[in-house]
Amino acid sequence: MVQRSESGGHPRIAALQFDYMAPLGRGKLETGVKMTYRQNNIDHKMYEHDATTDTWQLSVPLSNDLRHREYIPAAYAMYSSKLTKLLTMKAGLRLEYSRVTLQNDKDRLDEASNSFFVAPNIVLNYRVSEPWQLSFGLSRRISRPTYPQLNPYINLIENQTYETGNVHLKPEKANKLDLGYTYTGQTLKVSGNAYLNYPQFTTKTIHYCNLGIRQQLPKTSLTLSALVTDVFNTRRWDISSDNSVYTLTNTSRNRSRVLWLGFAWNFHSYKPLVGKKQQEEDRSVIRLGE
């Protein structure tokens, strides 16, 4: 029997966000709320080839549908302050609620699930000496599954290969530790970062190190930057499964060691950034390779 399938949908994502910032004490307070909405209507159709008429016939028993809706209201607060002449701090908290609804006409599916996510974070920056700075960061993050990962119906790729997802797949929650050491000169920026990542669905930590450099050419408006991600090629993850049918151990690795090169030219009056603004500008560029 020859079969083919058509499976997909029309995902829609909308977001509305409000932010507020005001001075507070010796620092600055930032707060905000955000509403995110995701939806997708999956219409899965399976066809069987009729050799006598050379036509494709819709297989009603193997076809299905699914309506997915997700509502994610969230609120955050962040406070930053200079604690001493050498130490600055930024600490915050993000609260996130999620409601997911699943509906299916053929199987008369109508269910909903609710979850709550708390994400504290803190960043400390300590100036060891005038050009050298040490940073420490600790945060929690959440990654939601994509729609191909949620699609529960069989999508035929070829006669021996197919893919399918899990409609009840949960978001991945991870804790991340960030250590950085930075040199900031008048025209030169060198940064090294080490990361430890504790994912939800593995017993092993993920660790890697990025190194970057940023150089402003003297008496010009040209700035050069370079970044090498995963310098020691350690960013990988292991997946294990052991049941009555089979035992599986899978080690996966992306091509995470990447060289990023950047060139920036200021066509207007050029004034080098110094102090905190320079550090924030440079760190945003250095982190492009994460």
Side-chain angles (χ1 to χ4, degrees):
M1 179 182 297
V2 180
Q3 297 176 315
R4 71 179 176 91
S5 64
E6 295 178 0
S7 184
H10 300 84
R12 296 180 181 178
I13 301 177
L16 182 63
Q17 181 170 340
F18 296 94
D19 298 298
Y20 174 78
M21 181 176 61
L24 180 64
R26 299 177 57 185
K28 178 177 63 176
L29 176 66
E30 302 173 64
T31 62
V33 294
K34 182 178 181 179
M35 178 64 186
T36 305
Y37 171 73
R38 298 201 309 166
Q39 77 164 51
N40 193 15
N41 297 330
I42 299 175
D43 186 16
H44 177 77
K45 295 180 180 180
M46 183 73 75
Y47 296 89
E48 297 177 349
H49 187 258
D50 188 342
T52 58
T53 61
D54 194 25
T55 58
W56 291 97
Q57 303 296 325
L58 178 66
S59 175
V60 176
L62 297 178
S63 300
N64 218 321
D65 65 284
L66 180 69
R67 293 188 299 277
H68 175 274
R69 304 289 186 269
E70 186 169 14
Y71 308 85
I72 313 171
Y76 80 93
M78 177 80 68
Y79 181 73
S80 57
S81 177
K82 188 173 184 179
L83 302 180
T84 68
K85 292 182 179 181
L86 303 178
L87 181 63
T88 60
M89 176 272 299
K90 179 181 288 188
L93 181 67
R94 176 181 174 86
L95 305 176
E96 193 171 283
Y97 170 79
S98 174
R99 178 175 176 81
V100 178
T101 63
L102 300 170
Q103 294 178 322
N104 171 286
D105 293 332
K106 180 180 179 181
D107 301 325
R108 297 182 180 180
L109 173 69
D110 188 1
E111 63 180 44
S113 61
N114 305 283
S115 63
F116 192 70
F117 179 68
V118 180
N121 67 86
I122 184 170
V123 177
L124 298 174
N125 291 291
Y126 180 74
R127 185 168 296 281
V128 181
S129 61
E130 183 56 33
W132 296 97
Q133 179 173 282
L134 180 66
S135 64
F136 167 84
L138 185 62
S139 61
R140 294 196 73 208
R141 301 183 181 184
I142 184 170
S143 299
R144 288 182 167 80
T146 62
Y147 278 116
Q149 295 171 330
L150 292 171
N151 187 353
Y153 308 125
I154 295 177
N155 183 25
L156 298 176
I157 299 176
E158 41 99 357
N159 60 345
Q160 293 184 342
T161 306
Y162 68 92
E163 64 179 4
T164 184
N166 181 359
V167 72
H168 296 109
L169 193 62
K170 300 297 183 182
E172 181 184 15
K173 303 171 184 178
N175 302 314
K176 187 174 184 180
L177 175 64
D178 178 357
L179 296 175
Y181 201 60
T182 307
Y183 171 86
T184 305
Q186 290 294 325
T187 61
L188 179 66
K189 170 81 172 188
V190 181
S191 178
N193 294 86
Y195 304 93
L196 278 176
N197 197 20
Y198 298 85
Q200 178 183 4
F201 302 118
T202 182
T203 58
K204 296 183 179 180
T205 60
I206 301 173
H207 58 281
Y208 56 99
C209 177
N210 298 343
L211 290 177
I213 184 171
R214 181 186 178 98
Q215 174 70 61
Q216 174 204 337
L217 298 186
K219 299 181 180 180
T220 70
S221 297
L222 178 63
T223 301
L224 308 177
S225 60
L227 173 71
V228 179
T229 61
D230 196 10
V231 177
F232 302 105
N233 203 25
T234 58
R235 193 170 188 178
R236 72 174 195 180
W237 57 95
D238 300 323
I239 301 175
S240 299
S241 179
D242 189 3
N243 53 53
S244 59
V245 180
Y246 63 86
T247 298
L248 171 67
T249 299
N250 183 12
T251 298
S252 302
R253 184 195 302 274
N254 283 338
R255 293 184 178 272
S256 53
R257 182 186 289 169
V258 180
L259 173 63
W260 298 77
L261 299 176
F263 306 87
W265 181 275
N266 193 316
F267 291 94
H268 302 286
S269 58
Y270 181 76
K271 294 181 180 180
L273 296 173
V274 295
K276 183 177 179 181
K277 291 184 178 180
Q278 175 71 50
Q279 297 162 12
E280 293 177 349
E281 172 78 8
D282 289 336
R283 284 189 66 83
S284 66
V285 174
I286 292 299
R287 289 189 174 186
L288 283 176
E290 288 187 30

